[in-house]
Amino acid sequence: MGKESVKLIANNKKAYHDYFIDETYETGIALHGTEVKSLRMGKCSIKESFIRVEHGEVFVYGMHISPYEKGNIFNKDPLRVKKLLMHRYEINKISGKIKEKGYTLVPLKVYFKGSLVKVEIGLARGKKLYDKRQDIAKKDQRREAEKEFKVKNLY
């Protein structure tokens, strides 16, 4: 298997702040031609998007792909519901986990793997407010430590 280039299109940093990510899955996504061209130009947002499993299929809602400028009549609705492509056993495993209390699916990354568009989704549990505060405190401590380290290395 050759080395395939991975080019990041969109990243969902907010998901890591709001959720504990337990498992990640790489999925394909069903797109139309002008949407792929728009993605090649990096015009995609997954900040407000979420994922649902319906009738044994996985769909992503709220993923915004800007219309392609030269696409005219072939452009699709930027916020249309898009189908994610996964194996049946993965979908069954995920839907079983989601039925447990507190689990949800969130998109983490959209990227090109070779010529294919892939979406990395995460099986996530929501963080409580105190968990978020702990994360912020850890970040601040790390930032302070790095700042002190820089100051010591200058002298």
Side-chain angles (χ1 to χ4, degrees):
M1 191 159 154
K3 292 180 182 174
E4 293 176 335
S5 64
V6 175
K7 181 183 171 240
L8 188 68
I9 302 166
N11 199 357
N12 192 354
K13 292 179 185 172
K14 193 176 177 205
Y16 291 101
H17 183 262
D18 292 341
Y19 301 99
F20 293 113
I21 310 297
D22 290 352
E23 294 179 45
T24 59
Y25 298 91
E26 182 181 75
T27 68
I29 184 169
L31 295 171
H32 290 85
T34 54
E35 291 175 321
V36 177
K37 288 180 180 184
S38 188
L39 285 173
R40 287 209 184 279
M41 296 168 74
K43 300 197 172 171
C44 177
S45 171
I46 54 173
K47 277 192 178 85
E48 302 298 319
S49 56
F50 60 95
I51 297 171
R52 278 197 185 136
V53 179
E54 297 170 354
H55 311 296
E57 294 181 328
V58 185
F59 296 96
V60 62
Y61 292 82
M63 179 176 165
H64 187 277
I65 298 176
S66 300
Y68 183 58
E69 292 109 40
K70 300 178 182 85
N72 57 39
I73 61 166
F74 300 107
N75 279 331
K76 300 290 179 198
D77 176 31
L79 287 170
R80 78 178 179 86
V81 178
K82 295 158 191 73
K83 183 177 174 182
L84 296 179
L85 310 170
M86 297 180 77
H87 292 286
R88 173 75 49 221
Y89 67 90
E90 287 180 317
I91 295 171
N92 292 341
K93 183 179 173 185
I94 286 173
S95 60
K97 288 265 189 172
I98 288 176
K99 286 180 180 128
E100 289 179 30
K101 190 174 181 287
Y103 276 106
T104 187
L105 281 173
V106 289
L108 302 173
K109 291 181 199 164
V110 179
Y111 55 93
F112 278 105
K113 189 173 184 184
S115 63
L116 304 174
V117 179
K118 298 289 184 180
V119 179
E120 184 177 284
I121 64 173
L123 192 64
R125 286 178 294 129
K127 284 186 181 178
K128 303 280 188 265
L129 186 63
Y130 56 84
D131 292 325
K132 291 180 191 177
R133 284 189 189 135
Q134 286 174 342
D135 281 358
I136 291 168
K138 282 180 190 173
K139 237 184 240 176
D140 287 345
Q141 284 177 337
R142 195 180 75 236
R143 210 175 285 132
E144 287 295 320
E146 285 174 3
K147 193 188 266 184
E148 287 178 25
F149 183 72
K150 272 186 181 175
V151 170
K152 285 179 184 175
N153 283 345
L154 288 173
Y155 299 110

